[in-house]
Amino acid sequence: MEAKHNRSGIAEWRYEDIPNTLWRVQKMTDVVGIGHRTAARLQNIGISSMYSLAHAPVELLRKTMGVIGEQLYYHANGIDYSRLSEKYIPLTKSFGKSQILERDYHDIAEVAIVIREMAEEVAMRIRKEHAQTAVVHLSIGYSKHSIERGFSHQIKLYPTDNNKQIAEAALHLFYKYIGREAVRTIALSAGEITFKQGTQLNLFEDALQTLYEEQLERTIDNIRDRYGFKSMMRASSLLEGGTAIARASLVGGHKG
């Protein structure tokens, strides 16, 4: 691939380069980790290029190929959660969503609104599986004109499927680590997934309020499931200059 044509034998692809590099790879076996057998399995479910792999339903890949299918999906979107310094441990079930912004965003308030919407969508998928998360992971990629690449951090939280708690965890990471650089990419995931046996009440929260919020969120989930996620949005999302503008400028929103 590209590295073969460089004297150093090394090619550097940043996250924002993915649409113009990795997604243009037509021969699946040119990608490390995809052999002829894996390529054939992907072909059987209608996936014949890295672009189609990046835009395939992650649920289909997970159901068809297990955790390997989920890993291939994230790799096709330029995301790798593994650390070379650590012993390899197979990924547990997780839920995630990524956005590649059409332009650089300098206003962190706009980015924060998009992150909140992404968190709500991830939370909705977690509830649909009758599950809960104990880890929220946020990755922010800066503009290609920036010196820094961005950051990637995670935070532990009490097991939950609550919109507010998942969004607040993601926003805590965002405000804690965001610099002055323009934002171009956002990736949010929820890990350490466990399946709920019933409603778990936190001693530090009002029990009735917790039950009320859970019922409200499931009602909203039903409406969004029937009419689409954007059929019900927060009031702040519809204000001029808010996420309505930001959302109109998003491309490549993956159902990850």
Side-chain angles (χ1 to χ4, degrees):
M1 296 185 66
E2 184 179 341
K4 296 180 181 179
H5 304 291
N6 293 340
R7 179 174 297 182
S8 64
I10 299 174
E12 180 181 351
W13 287 356
R14 293 195 174 192
Y15 188 86
E16 59 267 21
D17 299 327
I18 296 302
N20 296 319
T21 53
L22 187 58
W23 287 359
R24 293 190 177 185
V25 175
Q26 295 299 317
K27 190 176 180 181
M28 301 289 282
T29 51
D30 283 343
V31 178
V32 175
I34 300 181
H36 292 285
R37 183 177 297 180
T38 300
R41 294 179 66 186
L42 291 170
Q43 183 71 49
N44 288 337
I45 56 176
I47 299 174
S48 58
S49 68
M50 292 304 292
Y51 180 87
S52 59
L53 176 59
H55 293 78
V58 69
E59 293 84 2
L60 173 63
L61 291 166
R62 189 187 301 120
K63 181 178 179 180
T64 306
M65 305 178 68
V67 69
I68 297 300
E70 187 173 359
Q71 289 177 333
L72 290 174
Y73 169 85
Y74 285 115
H75 290 171
N77 284 287
I79 301 172
D80 187 352
Y81 291 117
S82 62
R83 294 183 180 180
L84 297 179
S85 60
E86 296 179 352
K87 181 179 179 181
Y88 174 74
I89 300 175
L91 292 176
T92 57
K93 186 180 181 69
S94 64
F95 296 85
K97 183 174 178 63
S98 61
Q99 297 277 17
I100 301 175
L101 305 182
E102 189 180 51
R103 61 176 175 81
D104 296 343
Y105 273 79
H106 297 270
D107 187 346
I108 63 172
E110 287 185 333
V111 180
I113 294 174
V114 177
I115 291 174
R116 182 176 290 278
E117 289 186 4
M118 292 172 63
E120 289 190 1
E121 189 165 349
V122 169
M124 176 180 170
R125 292 173 52 208
I126 291 174
R127 287 191 295 272
K128 192 172 183 179
E129 296 290 332
H130 304 287
Q132 54 193 0
T133 178
V135 172
V136 170
H137 187 282
L138 179 70
S139 294
I140 296 292
Y142 292 148
S143 165
K144 63 181 180 181
H145 303 295
S146 301
I147 298 177
E148 299 181 31
R149 291 189 175 186
F151 62 84
S152 181
H153 293 282
Q154 68 180 31
I155 187 173
K156 290 264 191 179
L157 63 161
Y158 189 86
T160 184
D161 61 1
N162 181 271
N163 282 350
K164 181 179 178 182
Q165 293 176 9
I166 295 174
E168 286 182 349
L171 290 173
H172 171 78
L173 293 171
F174 176 65
Y175 287 120
K176 181 176 181 179
Y177 295 104
I178 188 64
R180 296 184 178 181
E181 307 291 341
V183 175
R184 192 59 181 267
T185 62
I186 308 170
L188 188 150
S189 66
E192 291 195 14
I193 301 297
T194 55
F195 294 95
K196 297 181 69 173
Q197 301 298 321
T199 300
Q200 294 186 359
L201 300 178
N202 190 328
L203 294 177
F204 301 100
E205 298 176 351
D206 182 87
L208 291 178
Q209 182 66 24
T210 298
L211 294 172
Y212 169 78
E213 290 180 359
E214 182 176 290
Q215 183 59 49
L216 177 61
E217 287 178 345
R218 292 198 176 279
T219 299
I220 294 175
D221 288 349
N222 291 334
I223 295 173
R224 284 174 166 171
D225 199 39
R226 183 173 181 179
Y227 299 104
F229 181 79
K230 296 180 182 179
S231 61
M232 290 197 70
M233 306 300 293
R234 290 177 174 271
S236 59
S237 299
L238 303 178
L239 295 176
E240 183 177 358
T243 197
I245 294 176
R247 187 169 54 245
S249 300
L250 295 178
V251 295
H254 316 307
K255 298 178 179 180

